[in-house]
Amino acid sequence: MPTAARTYWLTSPCRIRRKDQSLIIERENADNVHIPITDVRDIVACAEVDINTSVVSLLNRHRINVHLLSYYGDYAGSLLTSETSTSGETVLAQARTAEDPKASMEIARSIVDSCAFNVRRVVDRKLLARPYKVLQESIGGARSPEQLMGAEGTFRRSAWEVVDTKLPDWLQLGGRSRRPPKNAGNAFISYVNGITYARLLTAVRLTPLHSGIAFLHSSMERQRHSLVLDLSEMFKPLFAERLMLRMAGRNQLKEHHFDRESNQAMLAEAGRKLVVQTVRDEFAVTVAHRSLGRSVAYDELLYLDALALTRHCLEGAPYKPFRIWW
């Protein structure tokens, strides 16, 4: 993303105070951390955070967003700055594209196809070859976003079944469950998906796009960043499924990393810190970009995808949603 500042991840309960042009992170049983405000791009709070008006004022002045994850790791909300990069010209172009059934469905189809492509890439290309072919046939015949999402759901169920064959018994999903996740595997997926959503919201807020005008998910619901839901579809497999399979394969995830009760589960504090650190490291991984001719971090890929959609709405440039190419 176009800034030298960085994301700060809060994994322990803390209080954020302001001192002049700095933030002070106060934690129990640990030293305070002083952070110059110019070093902060955004904050992801993975644990309870106390914050006051003085801090919010400083964050707002420097256009710093705070993203909050819930007790179970789902995205809970954000403290968003009043200033955005949104432009009227872009929003009008985005709205015209969203209201054009043909143009909107073309984008929605490409999002679903790219999402499934990435899922297949990180899970198992051979075992998901047939479900992916069925999905592509369904995409071609779909006449509404609801039909597209139904086809995606069918493909996802096939993918979850394949994922389970690669996980230890205690980490298997047994189907997707949310709010609360019913087992450790679902708790992991929900947590990483929540982080991905938060990072994409920051990326979209750096572009002139409006986060509420979408092409696959409904734009009609209030208080929802529907466009972020659209764009996060392609990136969830890169971080959630891929990291879960990798960490399980390396025996990094343990049963004690999760707190489990009757029919629900969540990451324990040690598990949360491990997962956040792993995801944080993953966002910093770089890959050679084929069209830019330079290395880009995974984190920047989110911003580049949002920019590509901006150019499509404004200039009609072809929009090709993110696909894993390495």
Side-chain angles (χ1 to χ4, degrees):
M1 298 186 193
T3 173
R6 53 183 170 148
T7 299
Y8 279 84
W9 305 78
L10 306 180
T11 57
S12 301
C14 63
R15 172 176 296 168
I16 304 178
R17 287 200 302 111
R18 173 182 176 179
K19 184 177 182 181
D20 301 325
Q21 295 302 305
S22 297
L23 299 177
I24 300 177
I25 311 298
E26 297 179 343
R27 299 167 295 174
E28 286 190 10
N29 306 319
D31 294 336
N32 294 346
V33 178
H34 293 245
I35 307 171
I37 195 66
T38 52
D39 192 45
V40 184
R41 177 173 59 201
D42 59 357
I43 296 172
V44 180
C46 306
E48 290 187 13
V49 173
D50 285 342
I51 196 167
N52 59 31
T53 305
S54 177
V55 173
V56 171
S57 176
L58 183 63
L59 295 174
N60 190 58
R61 187 183 310 161
H62 290 268
R63 301 181 61 188
I64 296 169
N65 301 316
V66 180
H67 305 295
L68 309 167
L69 299 186
S70 74
Y71 180 76
Y72 291 105
D74 293 316
Y75 172 79
S78 297
L79 295 174
L80 299 176
T81 61
S82 57
E83 276 191 55
T84 72
S85 300
T86 302
S87 79
E89 180 187 11
T90 305
V91 172
L92 287 173
Q94 183 183 355
R96 283 194 294 271
T97 306
E99 289 191 337
D100 181 333
K102 183 179 178 182
S104 181
M105 276 296 288
E106 184 178 343
I107 295 174
R109 284 192 181 96
S110 62
I111 287 174
V112 171
D113 191 24
S114 294
C115 170
F117 177 91
N118 290 340
V119 169
R120 184 188 169 204
R121 188 67 180 263
V122 303
V123 175
D124 195 307
R125 276 184 270 193
K126 184 177 180 181
L127 291 178
L128 289 177
R130 176 60 184 162
Y132 182 56
K133 185 177 180 181
V134 171
L135 172 78
Q136 289 182 307
E137 293 170 354
S138 299
I139 288 175
R143 294 292 176 264
S144 68
E146 290 74 20
Q147 291 179 2
L148 284 174
M149 295 178 76
E152 182 192 13
T154 301
F155 174 82
R156 280 280 194 177
R157 283 190 285 277
S158 298
W160 296 133
E161 291 175 2
V162 176
V163 167
D164 277 349
T165 65
K166 302 172 183 289
L167 297 172
D169 292 345
W170 65 270
L171 194 56
Q172 291 178 2
L173 298 156
R176 190 75 175 96
S177 61
R178 307 173 179 82
R179 301 182 181 179
K182 68 180 181 182
N183 53 40
N186 275 286
F188 181 96
I189 294 290
S190 289
Y191 204 83
V192 178
N193 282 350
I195 292 174
T196 304
Y197 179 92
R199 301 298 305 123
L200 254 162
L201 179 55
T202 289
V204 169
R205 298 267 296 182
L206 291 171
T207 73
L209 294 169
H210 192 291
S211 62
I213 301 176
F215 306 92
L216 177 61
H217 294 85
S218 174
S219 300
M220 303 305 292
E221 294 187 29
R222 298 174 59 190
Q223 299 178 338
R224 194 165 90 151
H225 303 287
S226 301
L227 181 62
V228 179
L229 290 174
D230 280 6
L231 300 184
S232 62
E233 292 288 340
M234 290 82 70
F235 292 95
K236 288 175 181 176
L238 175 64
F239 298 109
E241 286 93 337
R242 183 164 166 266
L243 287 183
M244 184 165 70
L245 290 170
R246 181 200 295 172
M247 294 178 76
R250 294 176 178 176
N251 206 26
Q252 291 175 294
L253 283 175
K254 308 286 186 182
E255 292 190 66
H256 71 260
H257 287 140
F258 297 85
D259 289 333
R260 285 176 287 187
E261 301 174 8
S262 176
N263 209 34
Q264 64 183 49
M266 59 178 288
L267 279 161
E269 182 173 354
R272 188 168 59 242
K273 289 182 177 178
L274 171 66
V275 171
V276 169
Q277 183 63 53
T278 303
V279 175
R280 180 180 173 180
D281 293 344
E282 199 68 9
F283 274 116
V285 171
T286 59
V287 60
H289 197 283
R290 293 183 294 186
S291 57
L292 294 180
R294 63 176 175 85
S295 294
V296 298
Y298 286 1
D299 200 26
E300 189 177 356
L301 293 174
L302 281 59
Y303 175 68
L304 293 174
D305 199 68
L307 272 188
L309 185 57
T310 305
R311 285 193 291 271
H312 177 72
C313 293
L314 279 176
E315 305 164 8
Y319 172 59
K320 298 179 180 178
F322 165 73
R323 289 189 177 207
I324 299 172
W325 68 80
W326 58 94

